[in-house]
Amino acid sequence: MQPAKAPGQPNPPKTLRVVQRVARVTYLIWEFTESNFSTFVVPNSAFGILGAFAASVLAEGPNGHPSIMEVLRRVPFVIAFNWYNVLIFDLANQRSPESIQEDLLNKPWRPIPTGKVTADQTRRAMLVAIPTALTFNYALAVWRQGVFIMILTWLYNDLRGGDEVIRDLIISIAYGMFNSGSLQIAVGSQAQISRGGIIWTSIISGVILTTMQVQDLKDQAGDSSRGRRTMALFLGDYVSRLCIAFFVTFWSIICAYFWWLEAWVYVVPVVPATIVVLRVLLMRTAQEDSGTWRWWCVWTMTLYALPLTSQVLG
């Protein structure tokens, strides 16, 4: 509640009230998306930006080789694309009754559990946010990816695909849309993603599909109580950890081989991969699994750097 205004106390200037309101809304957006910013917005932005620096193998067209300064000028747009589309996902995800109950236990600082906004206000915000996001996607020449992101958000949240075994499949396709959109924005509208770029984006989606279950290890208790069928619960903790360890190792080698890197360069993905593997096999508390999830994000970003590494060393 706002403190009572003393009699005769003047109202703050209109400009100040506007600034305060904008600041509150901005911070509210941050609270909705904070959990996904470092683990989703940053890595997906990195895919597009690092890929644009290797545009000669990932893009084609009359301006398929943007300069360093051209790519750097587009960095804010790449980050914005990922952030506002993640906001749509988080608004849809956090407003359901099941998510609210789960957040009251696991993430009580989020806007709805703290009472800063209601689920109905969040729904109404989506009525504005979704058309706005679609407009921005069109302006950035990534409307195709944007439409698929909205469909996948609907499948995951409203149709509760996120509670089914197909959860990781939906997420892997979504990563493909976010990654290809990030790359398209970074290389510019005068260029197109090449066949090699499409193949590389698809490979990364395969990485996500087979290793993304690492994010579910830390949430097994909550997921089980909600009836969510994640791969960690479907396969069992032990088998899930073995699968993650195998595929993290497998993809580290395959991705480095795909870019024809010399053997000594394999250290780029293999070092963080080794950390992920050791942690996932030996460190099993929820807090330790949360750290492993973040190391997994670091590992994926080393994979995203491989096209640029190949170009620099080639």
Side-chain angles (χ1 to χ4, degrees):
M1 295 179 61
Q2 296 292 333
K5 188 177 69 171
Q9 181 180 349
N11 290 320
K14 183 177 181 180
T15 302
L16 179 60
R17 294 201 303 271
V18 171
V19 171
Q20 290 174 334
R21 181 169 297 181
V22 170
R24 285 198 297 270
V25 171
T26 302
Y27 188 68
L28 198 62
I29 290 172
W30 170 251
E31 288 185 306
F32 268 110
T33 59
E34 180 269 337
S35 297
N36 283 328
F37 192 86
S38 62
T39 57
F40 197 92
V41 175
V42 172
N44 289 348
S45 298
F47 180 91
I49 296 163
L50 294 173
F53 287 130
S56 62
V57 292
L58 296 177
E60 59 189 8
N63 192 26
H65 307 286
S67 67
I68 293 176
M69 290 307 301
E70 286 176 323
V71 175
L72 292 178
R73 281 197 298 268
R74 295 169 186 147
V75 167
F77 297 103
V78 175
I79 295 174
F81 164 76
N82 284 281
W83 199 356
Y84 66 69
N85 280 295
V86 163
L87 173 63
I88 301 298
F89 175 88
D90 286 334
L91 291 173
N93 180 260
Q94 295 175 33
R95 70 183 179 89
S96 69
E98 296 85 0
S99 293
I100 295 171
Q101 290 301 314
E102 187 177 357
D103 285 344
L104 283 169
L105 297 174
N106 299 329
K107 298 171 183 175
W109 61 85
R110 283 181 166 175
I112 297 178
T114 56
K116 293 181 180 179
V117 294
T118 65
D120 192 58
Q121 287 173 326
T122 304
R123 177 188 63 82
R124 291 181 178 180
M126 292 179 66
L127 296 175
V128 176
I130 290 176
T132 302
L134 290 172
T135 301
F136 287 160
N137 289 337
Y138 182 82
L140 292 172
V142 287
W143 64 270
R144 294 178 182 85
Q145 290 93 332
V147 168
F148 274 103
I149 287 170
M150 296 303 163
I151 294 173
L152 292 165
T153 296
W154 173 65
L155 290 173
Y156 188 95
N157 293 302
D158 293 84
L159 295 188
R160 300 184 64 176
D163 292 341
E164 304 293 341
V165 177
I166 62 169
R167 163 191 175 93
D168 288 348
L169 176 62
I170 295 174
I171 293 174
S172 67
I173 297 173
Y175 262 81
M177 296 299 104
F178 275 95
N179 284 338
S180 63
S182 297
L183 179 58
Q184 182 62 68
I185 295 169
V187 298
S189 58
Q190 299 303 310
Q192 298 84 37
I193 300 176
S194 65
R195 181 174 179 271
I198 294 173
I199 293 173
W200 177 236
T201 303
S202 301
I203 289 174
I204 294 300
S205 287
V207 172
I208 303 304
L209 176 63
T210 52
T211 65
M212 187 67 176
Q213 56 187 292
V214 70
Q215 75 160 333
D216 299 324
L217 295 176
K218 66 185 186 303
D219 297 324
Q220 290 184 75
D223 290 340
S224 178
S225 65
R226 177 173 169 170
R228 181 180 285 151
R229 288 182 282 185
T230 64
M231 290 303 294
L233 293 174
F234 180 76
L235 296 175
D237 182 79
Y238 179 74
V239 174
S240 178
R241 290 176 186 275
L242 288 179
C243 288
I244 294 167
F246 170 78
F247 280 110
V248 167
T249 304
F250 172 80
W251 286 116
S252 297
I253 297 171
I254 291 299
C255 290
Y257 178 78
F258 178 81
W259 291 108
W260 294 92
L261 296 173
E262 296 183 20
W264 68 270
V265 187
Y266 280 48
V267 70
V268 174
V270 167
V271 168
T274 301
I275 295 173
V276 172
V277 169
L278 291 176
R279 288 185 63 94
V280 82
L281 294 177
L282 302 177
M283 306 175 74
R284 301 188 174 213
T285 68
Q287 184 176 2
E288 289 168 340
D289 285 336
S290 181
T292 302
W293 158 236
R294 294 186 181 278
W295 269 107
W296 176 90
C297 294
V298 173
W299 169 67
T300 59
M301 284 193 285
T302 65
L303 298 183
Y304 300 165
L306 293 182
L308 178 59
T309 303
S310 175
Q311 190 171 34
V312 170
L313 298 179

